[in-house]
Amino acid sequence: MNGGILHPESLVLGASGTVGFGVVGALLEAGSPVLALGRDGPRMQALAEHFSEEPALSLMTSGCIQDDQDAAALVATLRKRKRPLRAVFASLGSRPESGRLLDRPSRSLSDKLQRDLIPHLAAARHLLPLLAESNETAHYILIGGPHAERGWAGYGHASVSASALRMLAQVLHEEALALGVRVQMLSVDHPISTPANACNACAEWPSALAVGRCAVSLLSCHEAPKPIVSYNAARAQPPLSTLFSDYPPARAHG
């Protein structure tokens, strides 16, 4: 809230993950109130400590969204907050496990889709109608990884699930038009550079904050929305203005 104005929040699903952390930072940097949802644990605690001086950040710890019941419970909680929702950023998924498709039972692929695809569908089914109640253009942005268009050698299960998520984003984009919600996927074509992999990272690998900035830039894009938007370093620069004209800029986060 600033000057008595209750600005709409942006919800970050998977805020305790690497990309989720970057999206939270980019939203605060752009002047958006943030509700960060993630598993309770060391990573969520680190998020809270890193942004401890940000009054615009609210944290919500919860188990993973796995099905419609979990997503419906989340929406019920959001309604009790009585805070308008401007956007949802979904960075959900399990760690990739190595192994050939031909060497593992078919159940392994079914389990991977259950962990990485179904939670996205469940979340979208319940959050899109909530976003549709907004008086302004609302956004639902999924974050996709680098192996959706070409198979990742030795990680076939992750490639199939990433490709399925890409198609899900395209279908949701079309179906959500009638609701007045813009559904888009930010496709990140390289791994994320982190302190843990810095010694092996290539120069073109983006940081989590850069990915977050690129995702947040979609909120103020005036072009006709495309279902799939590729990561672009030019759109990953610090914002020149905040999302709300009367909102003071947040501290920059590296």
Side-chain angles (χ1 to χ4, degrees), residues 28-71:
L28 292 171
E29 184 181 57
S32 173
V34 181
L35 176 59
L37 177 67
R39 287 182 179 180
D40 190 16
R43 294 177 69 92
M44 202 64 174
Q45 293 170 12
L47 180 75
E49 292 173 3
H50 188 80
F51 297 111
S52 61
E53 298 181 12
E54 294 289 357
L57 174 63
S58 300
L59 301 177
M60 181 186 298
T61 55
S62 172
C64 295
I65 295 176
Q66 297 180 331
D67 52 29
D68 284 321
Q69 183 176 355
D70 296 333

Side-chain angles (χ1 to χ4, degrees), residues 156-168:
H157 297 80
S159 294
V160 173
S161 65
S163 181
L165 180 59
R166 187 181 179 93
M167 180 55 70
L168 177 67

Side-chain angles (χ1 to χ4, degrees), residues 137-210:
T137 301
H139 301 258
Y140 195 102
I141 299 171
L142 302 91
I143 313 293
H147 40 269
E149 294 186 275
R150 292 175 294 278
W152 186 7
Y155 291 86
H157 297 80
S159 294
V160 173
S161 65
S163 181
L165 180 59
R166 187 181 179 93
M167 180 55 70
L168 177 67
Q170 294 182 71
V171 173
L172 291 176
H173 173 84
E174 295 296 329
E175 294 188 359
L177 291 177
L179 298 174
V181 181
R182 294 186 172 191
V183 175
Q184 296 177 278
M185 169 180 278
L186 177 64
S187 178
V188 185
D189 299 328
H190 297 285
I192 305 301
S193 176
T194 68
N197 65 21
C199 60
N200 298 314
C202 297
E204 63 269 23
W205 291 11
S207 67
L209 180 58

